[in-house]
C-alpha cells in the first residue's frame, strides 16, 4: 500500500491556513464527499466554530451523511465532553435525518480516539492524530495530525478503509450489545440529552461530584449497558509491584497529610513559598504553581479568548480545600488560574497561580514555608498543609536543592 500522506503540525501551520479547522472546513465545502464521520475523545463548545457548523449544515443539505461519536465521561472519573457542545451540535444538525451524534462511555476504559473520516464511493481522506473537537485541538494547541488519502482501486487501501468502517459500525455507534466491546455507544438527541447530563462537563455549574457518577453506575442508572472486553493481562502495573521494606538503619520519610483509603489514589506536590507568593501587594494572595502540576487541578474553563495573535488566553476554576497548619484547620474556596501572556507581552511563558479565598489562611503563610498539595482521585476537597522550616516534615522534603517536588 502506498497511501498519500500529509502531516499537520499545529500551531505552526496556522499561518498557511492549514490547521485541522481549515481542513475540515475545506473538505466539508468541497462537494467531493458523501460521508463525514468522526470519533473523538471529547467535544468542547470552543470547537463549535460557526463556520464548521454552517459547513456541516451545507454538507447535509447537499445529501451528505454525518455521524459523530464523542466521549461522554471520557476519562472514567472526570467529565469529558461539554454538555453545551453536544446541545449546540444537536440544535444545528438534528433537523437533518442523515446527521447523527453518539456518546460513548465504557466505565472500564478511557475513550481516547481522534479520527475524522471523509469518503465517497472511490476514495477517502482520514485525519488521525491528537486533535480533539476544541479550539485548541483544531487550531491553537501543539498537535500532530497525519492526513491520509486512500484510493479504493488499491485493494490494500480499500481493505484498510473497510476495517476502519467496521470499527465505527461495530463499536462507535448504537447497536445491540451482542459481542464484546459493544453497547457503550448511544445515539443522543435533543429529547434524551438530559439522560447523559450527569456524565458530561457542565461549565455553568460547580464541577460535578464524581461519587454521584459512581452511585449511578452501581445502581444501574446509566444509559450505557455494554459487554466488556475480556482481554488477557500481559503487563504488570507498576502499582502492583512489591516494595521491599526499608532497612532498620534507614530513616522512614515523614508522613504528610491525611490518611489514604486503600481504594484511593493520591497525587500531589510541594513547593517552597517565595516572597512573591506571600506578598500583600502587587498580586496579593497569588501563589505561583509550577506548570507541570496544572493537570492535577480540577478542570479549568476558558474565560478569556485568544487575541489576534492566537495568545492571551486565561483559564479559571474554583474548588473547596481543607487546610491544616499544625493544630490549626480551616476550609475555604480556592481559585486556580492559568495565564497565557498576550502575543506582544515580553514574558513568553504561560503561568499558573493559586489563591486561597480565605484571608485567615493566607495570613499564616510566610516566605520559606512549604505548602503540600494533596489530590485524591475522584474526590474533593483538595488537602493542603503548611510546614515551617523547623518542622521534621520540612527537612524530610528538602532532600534536594529544588524549590518543589512530588509527594
Amino acid at each position: 500500500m502506498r497511501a498519500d500522506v500529509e502531516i499537520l503540525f499545529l500551531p505552526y501551520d496556522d499561518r498557511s491556513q492549514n490547521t485541522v479547522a481549515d481542513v475540515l472546513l475545506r473538505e466539508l465545502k468541497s462537494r467531493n464527499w458523501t460521508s463525514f464521520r468522526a470519533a473523538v475523545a471529547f467535544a468542547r463548545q470552543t470547537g463549535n466554530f460557526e463556520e464548521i457548523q454552517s459547513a456541516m449544515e451545507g454538507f447535509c443539505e447537499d445529501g451528505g451523511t454525518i455521524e459523530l461519536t464523542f466521549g461522554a465521561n471520557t476519562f472514567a472519573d472526570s467529565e469529558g465532553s461539554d454538555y453545551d457542545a453536544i446541545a449546540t451540535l444537536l440544535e444545528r444538525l438534528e433537523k437533518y435525518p442523515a446527521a447523527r451524534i453518539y456518546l460513548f462511555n465504557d466505565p472500564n476504559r478511557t475513550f481516547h480516539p481522534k479520527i475524522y473520516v471523509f469518503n465517497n464511493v472511490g476514495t477517502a481522506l482520514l485525519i488521525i492524530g491528537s486533535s480533539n473537537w476544541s479550539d485548541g485541538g483544531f487550531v491553537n494547541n501543539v498537535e500532530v495530525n497525519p492526513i491520509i488519502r486512500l484510493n479504493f482501486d488499491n485493494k490494500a487501501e480499500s481493505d484498510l478503509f473497510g476495517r476502519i468502517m467496521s470499527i465505527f459500525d461495530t463499536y462507535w455507534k448504537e447497536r445491540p450489545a451482542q459481542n464484546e466491546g459493544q453497547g457503550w455507544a448511544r445515539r443522543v438527541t435533543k429529547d434524551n440529552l438530559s439522560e447523559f447530563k450527569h456524565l458530561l462537563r457542565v461549565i455553568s455549574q460547580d464541577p460535578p461530584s464524581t461519587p454521584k457518577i459512581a452511585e449511578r453506575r452501581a445502581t444501574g442508572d446509566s444509559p450505557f449497558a455494554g459487554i466488556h472486553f475480556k482481554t488477557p493481562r500481559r503487563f504488570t502495573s507498576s502499582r502492583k509491584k512489591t516494595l521491599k521494606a526499608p532497612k532498620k538503619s534507614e530513616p522512614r520519610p515523614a508522613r504528610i497529610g491525611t490518611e489514604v483509603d486503600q481504594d484511593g489514589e493520591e497525587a500531589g506536590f510541594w513547593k517552597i513559598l517565595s516572597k512573591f507568593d506571600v506578598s500583600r501587594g502587587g498580586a496579593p494572595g497569588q501563589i505561583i504553581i509550577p506548570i507541570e502540576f496544572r493537570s492535577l487541578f480540577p478542570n479549568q474553563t476558558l474565560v478569556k479568548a485568544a487575541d489576534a495573535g492566537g495568545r492571551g488566553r486565561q483559564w479559571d476554576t474554583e474548588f473547596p480545600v481543607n487546610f491544616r497548619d499544625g493544630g490549626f484547620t480551616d476550609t475555604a474556596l480556592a481559585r486556580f488560574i492559568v495565564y497565557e501572556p498576550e502575543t506582544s507581552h515580553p514574558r513568553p511563558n504561560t503561568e499558573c497561580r493559586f489563591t486561597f479565598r480565605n484571608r485567615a489562611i493566607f495570613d499564616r503563610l510566610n516566605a520559606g514555608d512549604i505548602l503540600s498539595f494533596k489530590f485524591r482521585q475522584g474526590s474533593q476537597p483538595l488537602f493542603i498543609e503548611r510546614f515551617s522550616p523547623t518542622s521534621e516534615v520540612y527537612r524530610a522534603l528538602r532532600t534536594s536543592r529544588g524549590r518543589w517536588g512530588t509527594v
Side-chain angles (χ1 to χ4, degrees), residues 43-110:
R44 294 280 187 260
Q45 180 72 321
T46 60
N48 283 334
F49 295 142
E50 174 60 32
E51 297 89 340
I52 290 179
Q53 291 186 81
S54 296
M56 287 194 294
E57 289 179 319
F59 188 84
C60 291
E61 288 168 1
D62 288 339
T65 62
I66 293 178
E67 291 188 334
L68 308 176
T69 303
F70 300 108
N73 188 320
T74 303
F75 299 105
D77 284 319
S78 63
E79 287 60 43
S81 294
D82 289 350
Y83 178 86
D84 289 344
I86 304 302
T88 298
L89 289 170
L90 289 171
E91 184 68 29
R92 298 294 290 265
L93 295 178
E94 200 169 48
K95 57 190 173 185
Y96 302 104
R100 296 190 173 194
I101 298 176
Y102 303 92
L103 290 174
F104 186 101
N105 179 44
D106 180 344
N108 282 3
R109 295 176 186 273
T110 295

Side-chain angles (χ1 to χ4, degrees), residues 22-36 54-65 118-123 125:
D22 292 312
V23 174
L24 291 177
L25 190 58
R26 283 199 299 268
E27 300 304 329
L28 284 165
K29 297 170 71 174
S30 70
R31 297 192 174 183
N32 291 333
W33 312 108
T34 57
S35 174
F36 171 50
S54 296
M56 287 194 294
E57 289 179 319
F59 188 84
C60 291
E61 288 168 1
D62 288 339
T65 62
F118 293 92
N119 75 279
N120 54 34
V121 294
T123 59
L125 181 148

Side-chain angles (χ1 to χ4, degrees), residues 38-39 67-72 101-107 111 167-177 179 181-188 192 196 199 222-227:
E67 291 188 334
L68 308 176
T69 303
F70 300 108
I101 298 176
Y102 303 92
L103 290 174
F104 186 101
N105 179 44
D106 180 344
F111 187 73
I167 296 295
F168 269 93
D169 293 339
T170 304
Y171 303 113
W172 294 345
K173 69 180 187 182
E174 184 171 346
R175 60 179 299 157
N179 298 303
Q182 294 179 340
W184 303 117
R186 284 282 311 277
R187 185 181 177 189
V188 60
N192 71 359
F196 304 91
L199 292 170
S222 170
F224 301 92
I227 301 173

Side-chain angles (χ1 to χ4, degrees), residues 219-287:
T219 59
D221 184 14
S222 170
F224 301 92
I227 301 173
H228 293 295
F229 268 109
K230 298 179 178 64
T231 52
R233 188 168 298 280
R234 297 181 292 116
F235 304 102
T236 303
S237 169
S238 60
R239 290 177 294 178
K240 299 290 186 180
K241 291 181 179 178
T242 302
L243 301 178
K244 294 182 179 179
K247 298 178 181 178
K248 291 184 179 179
S249 59
E250 296 177 351
R252 292 180 177 271
R255 183 175 295 279
I256 304 170
T258 58
E259 297 290 335
V260 185
D261 296 336
Q262 288 184 348
D263 294 334
E265 294 181 21
E266 274 197 335
F269 67 94
W270 59 268
K271 72 155 287 178
I272 297 177
L273 297 177
S274 67
K275 290 182 179 179
F276 176 88
D277 293 333
V278 298
S279 171
R280 270 61 176 174
Q286 294 196 7
I287 299 170

Side-chain angles (χ1 to χ4, degrees), residues 385-401:
E385 193 164 6
R386 169 190 172 267
F387 301 104
S388 70
T390 60
S391 72
E392 179 183 347
V393 172
Y394 188 104
R395 291 191 293 271
L397 292 174
R398 289 304 315 275
T399 56
S400 69
R401 296 180 179 273

